[in-house]
Amino acid sequence: MKDSELMEKIVSLAKRRGFVFPGSEIYGGLAGTFDYGPMGVRLKENVERLWLQMFRDSRDDMYGVDAAILMNPKIWEASGHVSGFSDPLVECEKCKKRFRADHLDDKEKCPECGGSLGDARQFNMMFKTHAGAMEDDSATVYLRPETAGGIFANFKSVVDSMHPKLPFGIAQIGKAFRNEIAPRDFIFRLRELSQMEVEYFVQPSEWEQAFEEWRKMMHLFAEAVGIPQDKVHELEVPEGDRAHYSKRTIDFEFDYPFGRKELWGLAYRTDFDLSAHANASGAELSYLDEETKEKFIPHVIEPSLGVDRTVLAILASAYREDDMGGETRTYLALAPKVAPVKAMVSPLLKNKPELVEKARDVRAELQKVHPAIAWDDNGNIGKRYRRQDEIGTPFCVTIDFDTLGEHPELEGTVTLRHRDSGEQERLTVAEAADRIRSAIE
Ligand code: GAP
């Protein structure tokens, strides 16, 4: 299958099966925005939950915040985003279309109409709006372009309220907004996106050790969500290409169907942000080491992970087509931990009340393992399996007449079908529950 064809298939499955819909679709859409549907929202939440577990909750040195998206504009002046968060923009003199200069092979000729392109200028990517009833410059606020800003702005409050010992970190998941010149590639380059970010504060001399620790953690996270290691590549970003705040950056790139592109980033932000905010706000943002009585501005390591790019990498890694003797079986080989539905329970026939009643009992039993156990009694069993395959449900459990004791030695057993192999096992309900439990734990 060609890569462009694979991308089309992923986009089509995502819409057909309720993962991702074009934003504002009934009004013709809005570029750079997508909405997560019933299955997508579960997949996204599972990714976020796993990240919270691994990056925040399993550690004693991590704290959470949920900062406001709208913040005092001075934050973005101090952080350098007002003056420097921009991409090079060129406009065609003939058709007036605008492009990102660094994405064009031919910098002189318009890729749409062949007209000549004007000079590149810097275009600031922050969305601007006004707070309150005044619409003048004094009321300008920005939609945050990275969640990191809300973490730095809360550094002092976290220190004053929690008294953490260095090294420690602050984690946050939330929306960020970037007025991308050319949003593209489905949920890869968005204007409204979600980020999972950590700012990890360290002694200046300890940044390299922390950098290595978070680097490993990012690989572990890729593995946990089902992104294969051989599709993830580290790129040491050269000085000229790094963000203004970074002294070292590694991009974690993924082999997307449209090419190898940035999935996540790991940056050493030094004391750039806390120093800039201390200078601009006058607040005391240094850390006092109680033992040595030394006072200094901590340095920062920042693992920054886009939720949407993670979801796309998961979908691209999981998409499979099997040839079943002329018929194609499509399925998502999702890691059970992130799969929106963990198992589907169905009675073999829906017009047999005794089968339906038993299947309801089995479902209730399996929901003690995990609530995301679906019910499906529509169409024949083959169709039910196909539907679950396409949303990546790892197991299907069927209740038939043997469950009710048609063959007494099989009474109380069910069939458990495995998504990837299509193989079926005859198990007791307790054994089926164990299989599901061990797959998602
Ligand atoms: N706080 C650091 C920061 O924001 P970044 O490299 O600009 O760094 C971090 O963004 C991550 O956010 C990226 O690695 C990517 O996963 C995600 N991201 C950035 N821009 C995006 C966009 N336009 N659409 C979707 N995800 C994006």
Side-chain angles (χ1 to χ4, degrees), residues 48-255:
E48 292 176 352
R49 211 171 285 133
L50 205 52
W51 182 87
L52 286 171
Q53 247 173 45
M54 292 176 67
F55 284 70
R56 191 190 71 187
D57 298 341
S58 62
R59 307 172 55 118
D60 288 335
D61 58 351
M62 291 298 304
Y63 301 83
V65 292
D66 184 4
I69 288 172
L70 298 178
M71 297 194 289
N72 191 313
K74 287 181 185 156
I75 287 178
W76 304 115
E77 284 163 24
S79 68
H81 284 80
V82 170
S83 57
F85 190 60
S86 46
D87 276 337
L89 171 92
V90 280
E91 187 175 291
C92 171
E93 286 167 358
K94 194 166 152 205
C95 71
K96 304 290 173 207
K97 286 218 168 102
R98 293 172 166 198
F99 307 93
R100 233 180 101 166
D102 56 336
H103 283 173
L104 296 176
D105 291 330
D106 186 340
K107 312 273 182 231
E108 317 258 293
K109 207 158 88 182
C110 173
E112 298 273 324
C113 75
S116 44
L117 297 172
D119 291 336
R121 66 179 173 85
Q122 289 301 316
F123 172 76
N124 193 292
M125 289 202 288
M126 282 200 295
F127 279 99
K128 251 188 202 179
T129 185
H130 297 97
M134 300 295 287
E135 292 205 350
D136 59 16
D137 284 350
S138 69
T140 295
V141 288
Y142 302 96
L143 301 189
R144 68 181 178 202
E146 55 169 6
T147 60
I151 296 181
F152 293 121
N154 280 290
F155 171 80
K156 181 171 161 41
S157 300
V158 172
V159 170
D160 290 349
S161 58
M162 307 306 295
H163 311 289
K165 290 249 174 314
L166 223 60
F168 73 93
I170 304 178
Q172 176 170 228
I173 297 182
K175 290 275 190 178
F177 301 83
R178 297 180 180 192
N179 197 1
E180 295 281 353
I181 297 166
R184 59 163 119 170
D185 296 322
F186 192 38
I187 51 173
F188 177 81
R189 191 173 301 286
L190 295 167
R191 289 188 172 138
E192 178 175 338
L193 54 130
S194 295
Q195 290 182 317
M196 306 179 280
E197 296 201 299
V198 164
E199 306 304 326
Y200 194 70
F201 302 98
V202 297
Q203 290 264 7
S205 61
E206 287 173 2
W207 77 268
E208 277 162 313
Q209 189 189 330
F211 196 90
E212 287 310 314
E213 281 169 16
W214 288 107
R215 182 184 190 169
K216 280 192 202 119
M217 182 62 114
M218 289 165 83
H219 283 291
L220 287 178
F221 184 67
E223 208 175 307
V225 295
I227 299 175
Q229 285 299 328
D230 63 350
K231 288 191 164 192
V232 178
H233 311 274
E234 289 190 5
L235 173 81
E236 188 73 50
V237 181
E239 191 178 349
D241 293 346
R242 288 198 294 262
H244 59 279
Y245 49 70
S246 177
K247 232 181 177 170
R248 184 178 179 197
T249 298
I250 289 182
D251 278 354
F252 284 66
E253 296 189 318
F254 174 76
D255 293 323

Side-chain angles (χ1 to χ4, degrees), residues 385-400:
Y385 288 161
R386 298 291 168 270
R387 276 196 289 273
Q388 295 303 320
D389 282 348
E390 286 206 335
I391 60 168
T393 306
F395 302 105
C396 288
V397 176
T398 305
I399 281 68
D400 56 20

